[in-house]
Amino acid sequence: MRGLDTIQIVAPLEVVQDYNKQYFKDLGTKNHDSGELIAHRLVLKDSKNPHLGLNQVVMNTGTGELTLSLSAKILREDYHKLINSDTIERAIHEVNNSGRVQVDSQRLIDEGGVQLCDITQNIPKHHNYSVQEFNSVLKLASIGSGFNPRTYKGSDTLVLAKPGRWITSYNKTIELNQAKAVKQFGHLH
């Protein structure tokens, strides 16, 4: 099953049932001439140091939208299952348990749209594809118009990007092993 390492969902602001004001800062929009506040844009304060998997929450009264960015880390011990149709409800449950924002889970699923995502698919080991082989095939795939393939900073990571959207391919095993080493030894060399 395909899974998402990260996902950004945009939904009507009405899916928000409650939020904890102490975790948000208001980057309001003001009228250019009068300086009067015309819209609130509430942004999660700790997005640079996210609550394990809750990467971003933006509530914008001007657009009437909630933007919610999650990583699979929101699933805690089920991180390896990634975000997919079997785990999305659990991911939203963990958002609601974060103490930062409460959303109507069913409305978010029904009315929300995916704006950005990082897709990963666990390839069985018996195929033994190298990241370079996989990326070569992905570059040739018909994904849609406007996506430009490029490698990221000379690494094995391939990014197919166009303004506001991207598809990323990388070796998740390396990232998981690095995270495991940091947890075990406290740092990376």
Side-chain angles (χ1 to χ4, degrees), residues 4-6 53 70-76 78-80 82-83:
L4 305 176
D5 185 47
T6 58
L70 308 173
S71 81
K73 292 175 185 154
I74 196 87
L75 299 170
R76 310 287 186 254
D78 290 331
Y79 171 73
H80 65 281
L82 302 169
I83 299 171

Side-chain angles (χ1 to χ4, degrees), residues 7-181:
I7 186 170
Q8 186 173 74
I9 302 168
V10 176
L13 193 53
E14 293 78 25
V15 305
V16 176
Q17 296 175 324
D18 198 11
Y19 67 96
N20 189 332
K21 291 178 184 176
Q22 78 179 30
Y23 291 108
F24 290 87
K25 58 186 170 189
D26 191 347
L27 303 177
T29 303
K30 295 184 178 183
N31 180 295
H32 181 66
D33 296 326
S34 69
E36 182 182 336
L37 185 67
I38 56 175
H40 293 279
R41 185 169 173 263
L42 301 170
V43 179
L44 189 64
K45 286 180 187 177
D46 56 0
S47 63
K48 296 290 184 208
N49 185 13
H51 176 78
L52 197 59
L54 183 57
N55 297 348
Q56 182 185 43
V57 179
V58 178
M59 295 175 282
N60 191 326
T61 62
T63 62
E65 293 178 333
L66 164 71
T67 302
L68 187 65
S69 297
L70 308 173
S71 81
K73 292 175 185 154
I74 196 87
L75 299 170
R76 310 287 186 254
E77 69 279 354
D78 290 331
Y79 171 73
H80 65 281
K81 293 180 181 179
L82 302 169
I83 299 171
N84 58 53
S85 59
D86 293 335
T87 61
I88 188 67
E89 289 179 12
R90 163 85 188 279
I92 296 169
H93 175 77
E94 293 297 337
V95 168
N96 286 338
N97 283 342
S98 72
R100 283 144 176 82
V101 64
Q102 292 282 316
V103 298
D104 181 322
S105 301
Q106 196 57 52
R107 281 191 72 186
L108 183 65
I109 290 169
D110 292 343
E111 300 175 33
V114 176
Q115 186 174 37
L116 301 169
C117 64
D118 289 332
I119 302 168
T120 185
Q121 180 177 7
N122 295 334
I123 299 171
K125 284 190 172 185
H126 67 272
H127 287 296
N128 205 22
Y129 294 120
S130 71
V131 173
Q132 293 84 0
E133 290 171 315
F134 185 76
N135 286 343
S136 295
V137 171
L138 189 57
K139 283 182 185 180
L140 301 173
S142 175
I143 293 173
S145 62
F147 283 93
N148 299 311
R150 62 180 180 265
T151 57
Y152 180 73
K153 296 182 182 179
S155 68
D156 287 342
T157 301
L158 174 71
V159 179
L160 300 172
K162 67 180 182 180
R165 300 183 187 265
W166 67 83
I167 298 169
T168 307
S169 168
Y170 60 98
N171 189 338
K172 189 69 179 174
T173 303
I174 291 173
E175 182 182 317
L176 290 171
N177 288 340
Q178 287 174 340
K180 185 177 178 181

